[in-house]
Amino acid sequence: MSRPVVTPATATHPAAVTAAPNAMTENRKPEIEVARCTGCGRCVAACPGRLLTLEVVAYRKHAVLVKPRECDGCLACLTACPVRAIS
Ligand code: SF4
Ligand code: SF4
């Protein structure tokens, strides 16, 4: 049984190890765990399509995927998140 190839771009998050190789074919969309999100904005900056934004709800900032249909599942946002709020 072969082990999954871990590249530097996907090595920071366990989910990325298995998700990244099939990301384009599965068209996987990121899911943001709002309670964990700190609103740092790194995922917003990392998205090549500018599909994420920060929203403020009850004085708390968190990331939102505003254009899910345009997301190609590259998972750059997932690897950019320092607190693993994206899966
Ligand atoms: S998976 Fe890629 S295209 Fe989709 S929101 Fe994240 S960074 Fe943007
Ligand atoms: S990178 Fe993570 S913690 Fe920062 S805004 Fe995005 S989801 Fe939230």
Side-chain angles (χ1 to χ4, degrees):
M1 189 165 107
S2 63
R3 297 173 63 88
V5 177
V6 180
T7 62
T10 60
T12 55
H13 193 292
V17 174
T18 55
N22 299 320
M24 295 301 288
T25 53
E26 293 178 4
N27 199 19
R28 187 173 181 277
K29 302 289 190 293
E31 292 184 22
I32 300 165
E33 189 177 335
V34 173
R36 188 182 283 257
C37 175
T38 63
C40 72
R42 291 188 191 186
C43 58
V44 176
C47 179
R50 306 231 182 264
L51 310 181
L52 294 149
T53 190
L54 294 177
E55 282 188 3
V56 179
V57 176
Y59 304 104
R60 197 171 181 284
K61 202 183 321 183
H62 65 85
V64 178
L65 178 61
V66 288
K67 297 177 182 175
R69 287 186 170 193
E70 295 180 29
C71 173
D72 64 8
C74 74
L75 301 183
C77 53
L78 183 150
T79 56
C81 181
V83 296
R84 297 182 178 182
I86 303 178
S87 58

